[in-house]
Amino acid sequence: MKINVVRNILEANARIAAENRELFAEKKVLVMNLMSSPGAGKTSLLEKTIDSLKGRMAIGVIEGDIQSSQDAERIAAKDIPVVQINTGGACHLDGNMIRDTFHHFDFDALDLLVVENVGNLVCPAEFDLGEDVKVAILSVAEGDDKPAKYPLIFHESQALLINKIDLLPYVDCSVEKIRAESLKINTQIAILEVSCRTGLGISEWCAWLTDRIAAKGLGIK
Ligand SMILES: Nc1nc2c(ncn2[C@@H]2O[C@H](COP(=O)(O)OP(=O)(O)O)[C@@H](O)[C@H]2O)c(=O)[nH]1
Ligand SMILES: [Mg+2]
Ligand SMILES: [Zn+2]
């Protein structure tokens, strides 16, 4: 019984996500679903990404949180169109929540829409939003055992950002182990080391993201 209910929820979500994906393709917007546990650095990465790419493309953001609009305020400070979704308890975003934000955006003028998912290393990876790329962030402070313990998010993501590299001298974490375990789960995953504190790796990350726009056959509007 429980299995059927879960299957129905995921099937209903997949239908809505497919409609979202059709709209994004028609409007020529690349959509990225950014996922991590709370505090790994999703909003910090977004701030850095916006600072680097803002003059070159039009970016919009959807912020997903259980409560509060603090992240949306951080993004709005960059003068970027942003919508906050408060899930009121739910621990992930779904296709329907994304669809409900559409009237806030002028998709004809957007190149890139970033969705910051609810901080959670587990179920955000199960729910298709209609995005083109899923990106996971793992910070070195969380430990190098996380790919083996939470494989789905690493399996589903096209890129893994290992963040807070500046903290490596202070934590017991092997970047090599994170790389090896992630590649065991997903041989195709791109792995980039970054620090939102020092800016290390941010230009390589922005190049990877810009390449995804080109790979989808989209130009900058
Ligand atoms: N030392 C260090 N701190 C970072 C880095 N990136 C983010 N932080 C800090 O980690 C905390 C959580 O970051 P935030 O971007 O809000 O994470 P989110 O919950 O995933 O959106 C904040 O205090 C950030 O300043 C980093 O590369 N190095
Ligand atoms: Mg955040
Ligand atoms: Zn959830």
Side-chain angles (χ1 to χ4, degrees):
M1 185 62 187
K2 181 161 183 282
I3 289 167
N4 276 338
V5 171
V6 171
R7 191 187 297 138
N8 289 344
I9 288 171
L10 287 173
E11 279 172 6
N13 184 65
R15 269 197 302 279
I16 296 168
E19 287 168 14
N20 292 352
R21 187 166 282 115
E22 240 170 70
L23 177 82
F24 299 145
E26 182 195 317
K27 297 292 184 183
K28 302 192 185 321
V29 183
L30 186 92
V31 181
M32 170 170 78
N33 180 1
L34 189 57
M35 305 177 292
S36 80
S37 54
K42 297 179 295 301
T43 312
S44 302
L45 181 81
L46 255 170
E47 291 170 319
K48 286 282 183 198
T49 305
I50 290 165
D51 288 344
S52 294
L53 296 180
K54 196 179 163 191
R56 288 158 49 197
M57 63 180 75
I59 306 172
V61 174
I62 297 173
E63 284 292 344
D65 278 294
I66 289 176
Q67 204 172 307
S68 108
S69 58
Q70 296 181 58
D71 284 359
E73 285 158 25
R74 285 167 65 183
I75 299 304
K78 304 275 181 197
D79 213 13
I80 288 284
V82 56
V83 177
Q84 178 81 52
I85 299 174
N86 280 145
T87 63
C91 48
H92 59 267
L93 296 177
D94 63 28
N96 198 35
M97 295 177 197
I98 299 301
R99 182 169 66 180
D100 281 347
T101 70
F102 285 174
H103 62 282
H104 292 285
F105 292 105
D106 175 10
F107 286 124
D108 290 320
L110 274 194
D111 298 302
L112 172 66
L113 177 66
V114 184
V115 180
E116 178 177 338
N117 217 311
V118 178
N120 177 346
L121 216 45
V122 187
C123 45
E126 284 184 53
F127 286 81
D128 187 3
L129 307 179
E131 74 279 345
D132 299 289
V133 284
K134 285 181 163 75
V135 172
I137 306 180
L138 179 65
S139 72
V140 298
E142 294 167 80
D144 50 25
D145 57 352
K146 295 303 170 292
K149 290 171 88 166
Y150 302 92
L152 185 68
I153 193 168
F154 299 88
H155 185 265
E156 296 297 308
S157 296
Q158 280 80 52
L160 167 65
L161 302 187
I162 306 176
N163 188 33
K164 308 197 188 183
I165 289 292
D166 58 289
L167 294 183
L168 268 180
Y170 312 105
V171 293
D172 291 324
C173 175
S174 161
V175 168
E176 277 322 300
K177 183 173 168 190
I178 294 174
R179 281 184 174 275
E181 303 271 324
S182 302
L183 286 167
K184 250 190 252 170
I185 295 160
N186 178 352
T187 57
Q188 302 298 311
I189 196 165
I191 303 177
L192 295 112
E193 294 171 30
V194 299
S195 167
C196 295
R197 164 70 64 88
T198 68
L200 175 121
I202 297 297
S203 60
E204 290 81 358
W205 154 245
C206 288
W208 185 89
L209 188 54
T210 307
D211 282 352
R212 299 284 78 68
I213 295 182
K216 201 186 169 187
L218 307 181
I220 306 293
K221 282 171 190 155

mmCIF file of all heavy atoms in Angstrom, residues 152-170:
data_model
loop_
_atom_site.group_PDB
_atom_site.id
_atom_site.type_symbol
_atom_site.label_atom_id
_atom_site.label_comp_id
_atom_site.label_asym_id
_atom_site.label_seq_id
_atom_site.Cartn_x
_atom_site.Cartn_y
_atom_site.Cartn_z
ATOM 1 N N LEU A 152 22.288 8.332 -3.718
ATOM 2 C CA LEU A 152 21.363 8.751 -4.794
ATOM 3 C C LEU A 152 21.705 10.134 -5.347
ATOM 4 O O LEU A 152 21.726 10.343 -6.563
ATOM 5 C CB LEU A 152 19.913 8.724 -4.304
ATOM 6 C CG LEU A 152 18.890 9.040 -5.412
ATOM 7 C CD1 LEU A 152 18.858 7.931 -6.453
ATOM 8 C CD2 LEU A 152 17.498 9.275 -4.832
ATOM 9 N N ILE A 153 21.971 11.077 -4.463
ATOM 10 C CA ILE A 153 22.215 12.453 -4.918
ATOM 11 C C ILE A 153 23.476 12.506 -5.798
ATOM 12 O O ILE A 153 23.539 13.252 -6.773
ATOM 13 C CB ILE A 153 22.283 13.412 -3.710
ATOM 14 C CG1 ILE A 153 22.224 14.864 -4.167
ATOM 15 C CG2 ILE A 153 23.495 13.178 -2.847
ATOM 16 C CD1 ILE A 153 21.983 15.838 -3.015
ATOM 17 N N PHE A 154 24.458 11.654 -5.478
ATOM 18 C CA PHE A 154 25.684 11.610 -6.278
ATOM 19 C C PHE A 154 25.429 10.889 -7.601
ATOM 20 O O PHE A 154 26.012 11.222 -8.626
ATOM 21 C CB PHE A 154 26.810 10.940 -5.472
ATOM 22 C CG PHE A 154 27.127 11.699 -4.213
ATOM 23 C CD1 PHE A 154 26.445 11.444 -3.026
ATOM 24 C CD2 PHE A 154 28.059 12.723 -4.231
ATOM 25 C CE1 PHE A 154 26.702 12.178 -1.874
ATOM 26 C CE2 PHE A 154 28.328 13.463 -3.078
ATOM 27 C CZ PHE A 154 27.640 13.182 -1.901
ATOM 28 N N HIS A 155 24.526 9.931 -7.556
ATOM 29 C CA HIS A 155 24.158 9.191 -8.763
ATOM 30 C C HIS A 155 23.406 10.068 -9.752
ATOM 31 O O HIS A 155 23.597 9.983 -10.965
ATOM 32 C CB HIS A 155 23.298 7.981 -8.364
ATOM 33 C CG HIS A 155 22.959 7.096 -9.518
ATOM 34 N ND1 HIS A 155 21.794 7.205 -10.233
ATOM 35 C CD2 HIS A 155 23.680 6.113 -10.101
ATOM 36 C CE1 HIS A 155 21.794 6.309 -11.194
ATOM 37 N NE2 HIS A 155 22.924 5.635 -11.147
ATOM 38 N N GLU A 156 22.547 10.946 -9.229
ATOM 39 C CA GLU A 156 21.660 11.736 -10.084
ATOM 40 C C GLU A 156 22.303 13.014 -10.610
ATOM 41 O O GLU A 156 21.806 13.600 -11.573
ATOM 42 C CB GLU A 156 20.388 12.123 -9.304
ATOM 43 C CG GLU A 156 19.524 10.945 -8.901
ATOM 44 C CD GLU A 156 18.992 10.197 -10.099
ATOM 45 O OE1 GLU A 156 18.410 10.840 -10.978
ATOM 46 O OE2 GLU A 156 19.197 8.951 -10.169
ATOM 47 N N SER A 157 23.373 13.478 -9.979
ATOM 48 C CA SER A 157 23.922 14.804 -10.312
ATOM 49 C C SER A 157 24.923 14.727 -11.468
ATOM 50 O O SER A 157 25.671 13.766 -11.586
ATOM 51 C CB SER A 157 24.597 15.409 -9.081
ATOM 52 O OG SER A 157 23.631 15.636 -8.072
ATOM 53 N N GLN A 158 24.915 15.773 -12.297
ATOM 54 C CA GLN A 158 25.908 15.862 -13.378
ATOM 55 C C GLN A 158 27.227 16.442 -12.869
ATOM 56 O O GLN A 158 28.259 16.256 -13.486
ATOM 57 C CB GLN A 158 25.386 16.734 -14.531
ATOM 58 C CG GLN A 158 24.431 16.018 -15.473
ATOM 59 C CD GLN A 158 23.030 15.956 -14.901
ATOM 60 O OE1 GLN A 158 22.480 16.968 -14.506
ATOM 61 N NE2 GLN A 158 22.463 14.758 -14.838
ATOM 62 N N ALA A 159 27.141 17.205 -11.768
ATOM 63 C CA ALA A 159 28.371 17.773 -11.211
ATOM 64 C C ALA A 159 28.307 17.713 -9.698
ATOM 65 O O ALA A 159 27.230 17.811 -9.088
ATOM 66 C CB ALA A 159 28.556 19.214 -11.664
ATOM 67 N N LEU A 160 29.492 17.541 -9.115
ATOM 68 C CA LEU A 160 29.656 17.605 -7.659
ATOM 69 C C LEU A 160 30.671 18.700 -7.365
ATOM 70 O O LEU A 160 31.791 18.680 -7.897
ATOM 71 C CB LEU A 160 30.179 16.269 -7.111
ATOM 72 C CG LEU A 160 30.680 16.321 -5.664
ATOM 73 C CD1 LEU A 160 29.535 16.648 -4.700
ATOM 74 C CD2 LEU A 160 31.348 15.005 -5.275
ATOM 75 N N LEU A 161 30.261 19.655 -6.542
ATOM 76 C CA LEU A 161 31.196 20.672 -6.087
ATOM 77 C C LEU A 161 31.630 20.324 -4.672
ATOM 78 O O LEU A 161 30.789 20.163 -3.786
ATOM 79 C CB LEU A 161 30.527 22.053 -6.103
ATOM 80 C CG LEU A 161 29.970 22.513 -7.452
ATOM 81 C CD1 LEU A 161 29.485 23.946 -7.370
ATOM 82 C CD2 LEU A 161 31.027 22.397 -8.521
ATOM 83 N N ILE A 162 32.937 20.173 -4.488
ATOM 84 C CA ILE A 162 33.463 19.945 -3.141
ATOM 85 C C ILE A 162 33.835 21.323 -2.608
ATOM 86 O O ILE A 162 34.808 21.946 -3.062
ATOM 87 C CB ILE A 162 34.672 18.994 -3.164
ATOM 88 C CG1 ILE A 162 34.297 17.690 -3.896
ATOM 89 C CG2 ILE A 162 35.135 18.698 -1.739
ATOM 90 C CD1 ILE A 162 35.470 16.714 -4.065
ATOM 91 N N ASN A 163 33.041 21.829 -1.671
ATOM 92 C CA ASN A 163 33.171 23.229 -1.221
ATOM 93 C C ASN A 163 33.909 23.308 0.124
ATOM 94 O O ASN A 163 34.099 22.311 0.817
ATOM 95 C CB ASN A 163 31.767 23.856 -1.092
ATOM 96 C CG ASN A 163 31.823 25.348 -0.811
ATOM 97 O OD1 ASN A 163 32.731 26.049 -1.267
ATOM 98 N ND2 ASN A 163 30.851 25.845 -0.051
ATOM 99 N N LYS A 164 34.271 24.511 0.450
ATOM 100 C CA LYS A 164 34.988 24.844 1.697
ATOM 101 C C LYS A 164 36.383 24.220 1.708
ATOM 102 O O LYS A 164 36.871 23.779 2.754
ATOM 103 C CB LYS A 164 34.173 24.447 2.949
ATOM 104 C CG LYS A 164 32.741 24.989 2.945
ATOM 105 C CD LYS A 164 32.078 24.961 4.295
ATOM 106 C CE LYS A 164 30.594 25.327 4.178
ATOM 107 N NZ LYS A 164 29.894 25.391 5.453
ATOM 108 N N ILE A 165 37.010 24.187 0.545
ATOM 109 C CA ILE A 165 38.366 23.652 0.422
ATOM 110 C C ILE A 165 39.318 24.406 1.362
ATOM 111 O O ILE A 165 40.295 23.834 1.857
ATOM 112 C CB ILE A 165 38.822 23.753 -1.057
ATOM 113 C CG1 ILE A 165 38.056 22.743 -1.926
ATOM 114 C CG2 ILE A 165 40.336 23.549 -1.195
ATOM 115 C CD1 ILE A 165 38.382 21.279 -1.668
ATOM 116 N N ASP A 166 39.005 25.672 1.636
ATOM 117 C CA ASP A 166 39.850 26.457 2.562
ATOM 118 C C ASP A 166 39.885 25.853 3.966
ATOM 119 O O ASP A 166 40.795 26.124 4.744
ATOM 120 C CB ASP A 166 39.336 27.910 2.616
ATOM 121 C CG ASP A 166 37.888 27.990 3.062
ATOM 122 O OD1 ASP A 166 36.984 27.593 2.292
ATOM 123 O OD2 ASP A 166 37.622 28.434 4.185
ATOM 124 N N LEU A 167 38.886 25.012 4.298
ATOM 125 C CA LEU A 167 38.839 24.428 5.651
ATOM 126 C C LEU A 167 39.603 23.113 5.759
ATOM 127 O O LEU A 167 39.695 22.539 6.858
ATOM 128 C CB LEU A 167 37.373 24.189 6.069
ATOM 129 C CG LEU A 167 36.504 25.430 6.256
ATOM 130 C CD1 LEU A 167 35.108 25.034 6.733
ATOM 131 C CD2 LEU A 167 37.142 26.402 7.250
ATOM 132 N N LEU A 168 40.181 22.637 4.668
ATOM 133 C CA LEU A 168 40.843 21.317 4.681
ATOM 134 C C LEU A 168 41.889 21.148 5.792
ATOM 135 O O LEU A 168 41.980 20.068 6.391
ATOM 136 C CB LEU A 168 41.486 21.021 3.320
ATOM 137 C CG LEU A 168 40.612 20.266 2.310
ATOM 138 C CD1 LEU A 168 41.387 20.043 1.015
ATOM 139 C CD2 LEU A 168 40.115 18.946 2.883
ATOM 140 N N PRO A 169 42.687 22.198 6.095
ATOM 141 C CA PRO A 169 43.678 21.999 7.164
ATOM 142 C C PRO A 169 43.059 21.727 8.533
ATOM 143 O O PRO A 169 43.749 21.253 9.435
ATOM 144 C CB PRO A 169 44.447 23.335 7.196
ATOM 145 C CG PRO A 169 44.162 23.991 5.890
ATOM 146 C CD PRO A 169 42.817 23.514 5.457
ATOM 147 N N TYR A 170 41.769 22.033 8.680
ATOM 148 C CA TYR A 170 41.154 21.952 10.014
ATOM 149 C C TYR A 170 40.216 20.758 10.182
ATOM 150 O O TYR A 170 39.638 20.576 11.245
ATOM 151 C CB TYR A 170 40.359 23.241 10.305
ATOM 152 C CG TYR A 170 41.155 24.480 10.003
ATOM 153 C CD1 TYR A 170 40.880 25.235 8.862
ATOM 154 C CD2 TYR A 170 42.199 24.876 10.830
ATOM 155 C CE1 TYR A 170 41.621 26.368 8.562
ATOM 156 C CE2 TYR A 170 42.945 25.992 10.525
ATOM 157 C CZ TYR A 170 42.651 26.738 9.396
ATOM 158 O OH TYR A 170 43.399 27.838 9.107
#
